[in-house]
Amino acid sequence: MRRGLTLYGLWLLTWWHRLRHDLGRELTVAAASLIMFGTFLYVFNDFLNVQIASIAMAMQAAFAHTLTIVVLILAWSIGLYWIQKREPRGVASMALYLGESRSVITLFRWLQSLTIIALSHGLAWWLSARYLARWGFETSLATELIMLATTAIAWSVLVRLRPNASLQNLVLSELKFDQSMEGPANKLGILADWRLAHILHRSRLCHLLMLIALSFACLITISVANAGPLFVACVCALATGFLLAAMLNVQMAADLRHAWLERGLGVSHDDFMSAFQKVATYLAITSGILTLIAYGLGLVLTQTPPSLLSGSLAALRVAAVAAVPALITPSLLLQVDGRRLAVSLPLDFVVCLFVGTAVIAHWLGLALVPLLISTARSSQAGRFYRA
């Protein structure tokens, strides 16, 4: 018991020492994050509790309950991600290397998991009670118990599916490098192919994002089949595109932990970002095609199909909205701190929401995409060397 608590104390001290030895950078990230989150919460609270409430209280209640469910699912996903994450240089790995008993390490992991769950779930319930829907005690307790049970089940499944070294070698062997080709094009292709292979084969978080994105694409089909408004299909398409684009944030966080290797091999900032832009182009095309298929399937299933011209224009609008997040995400990855998904993902979400709703409102909103890319690219120039 005492040794397990000692490991738990060491784990907490790692966060304190990381903050103390890099105080300037941590304060900068904290200030930028607070400004971003504060602006988002202010706009969101005004939209939900003032603008929608002035139209209809029933609509406001429906929005609040739906968003509460979304926040709880997000908190569940974040908590599960940090619980199942295994750091090769973490406290548990160190203790195991030094010969600590399994029971002590198990106790430490339990304490660590309970702390992560308390922070993620507690923050979600606070946001719900403060800005969204106030659920009753029985409903909240039942929901929390379901979240805990599904976390335990998902964790046990992920442990069994944890990739090993042989799978890593298999993924590496799938990358076909033609050494006879030399030049920038081949280097860019290798950098992009490696990241694409890592996203598709190695990252469980990316697999989860793909599954959720596919669910939102199915909602497009359901909306069109039931003759829903175009706005609903566009919002689902924007969610699909954002979830697929979020895989770039996940990959960036993984890459920056080993950026010294690529810098030592002569990879420049432009090479690094061009590789991400190439992968983003693939994801944008995939998002557009996926939503086009979903919208077309909905048109086949609907009993009151629109005219060919209006249906084609609507399908193209949905595909354009879905492709926007992936196209602009590479320009946002290094704006604050690419290592921290808790910072980069909300920033990406706010910007994608702004540009995506502009495209939904009018086709001229697409002009914001190249304008944002050209402006944001210069503001993060050279940050690959300082990451």
Side-chain angles (χ1 to χ4, degrees), residues 159-220:
V159 167
R160 293 186 179 92
L161 297 177
R162 189 176 299 280
N164 51 30
S166 61
L167 178 59
Q168 183 178 8
N169 295 332
L170 176 62
V171 174
L172 289 173
S173 65
E174 291 178 355
L175 295 175
K176 307 299 184 182
F177 297 155
D178 186 0
Q179 300 297 336
S180 62
M181 296 177 59
E182 297 181 356
N186 183 46
K187 180 167 65 173
L188 177 60
I190 291 174
L191 293 174
D193 290 344
W194 161 249
R195 283 161 175 82
L196 193 59
H198 191 276
I199 288 173
L200 296 178
H201 299 285
R202 287 284 295 163
S203 176
R204 295 187 300 277
L205 182 55
C206 289
H207 295 164
L208 178 63
L209 292 172
M210 292 178 197
L211 182 61
I212 302 176
L214 184 61
S215 302
F216 276 99
C218 293
L219 291 179
I220 298 176

Side-chain angles (χ1 to χ4, degrees), residues 283-298:
L283 294 178
I285 295 174
T286 302
S287 303
I289 293 176
L290 177 62
T291 51
L292 272 178
I293 294 174
Y295 195 90
L297 184 59

Side-chain angles (χ1 to χ4, degrees), residues 79-215:
L80 178 61
Y81 169 76
W82 283 105
I83 288 173
Q84 60 85 34
K85 186 177 180 181
R86 293 291 180 265
E87 298 181 358
R89 297 183 179 180
V91 175
S93 301
M94 176 199 68
L96 185 63
Y97 180 78
L98 294 176
E100 191 59 80
S101 64
R102 291 282 183 177
S103 60
V104 172
I105 297 177
T106 301
L107 175 61
F108 162 70
R109 291 199 187 279
W110 270 103
L111 294 173
Q112 183 186 41
S113 300
L114 291 175
T115 303
I116 293 172
I117 289 176
L119 290 175
S120 58
H121 293 196
L123 180 61
W125 285 116
W126 177 80
L127 288 174
S128 173
R130 179 67 176 82
Y131 297 101
L132 302 175
R134 294 177 179 270
W135 289 359
F137 175 76
E138 294 81 4
T139 304
S140 301
L141 180 60
T143 304
E144 181 62 27
L145 290 176
I146 292 173
M147 293 171 64
L148 293 175
T150 52
T151 298
I153 295 172
W155 177 83
S156 61
V157 172
L158 289 174
V159 167
R160 293 186 179 92
L161 297 177
R162 189 176 299 280
N164 51 30
S166 61
L167 178 59
Q168 183 178 8
N169 295 332
L170 176 62
V171 174
L172 289 173
S173 65
E174 291 178 355
L175 295 175
K176 307 299 184 182
F177 297 155
D178 186 0
Q179 300 297 336
S180 62
M181 296 177 59
E182 297 181 356
N186 183 46
K187 180 167 65 173
L188 177 60
I190 291 174
L191 293 174
D193 290 344
W194 161 249
R195 283 161 175 82
L196 193 59
H198 191 276
I199 288 173
L200 296 178
H201 299 285
R202 287 284 295 163
S203 176
R204 295 187 300 277
L205 182 55
C206 289
H207 295 164
L208 178 63
L209 292 172
M210 292 178 197
L211 182 61
I212 302 176
L214 184 61
S215 302

Side-chain angles (χ1 to χ4, degrees), residues 291-311:
T291 51
L292 272 178
I293 294 174
Y295 195 90
L297 184 59
L299 291 178
V300 172
L301 297 177
T302 186
Q303 297 181 355
T304 56
S307 63
L308 179 61
L309 179 60
S310 61

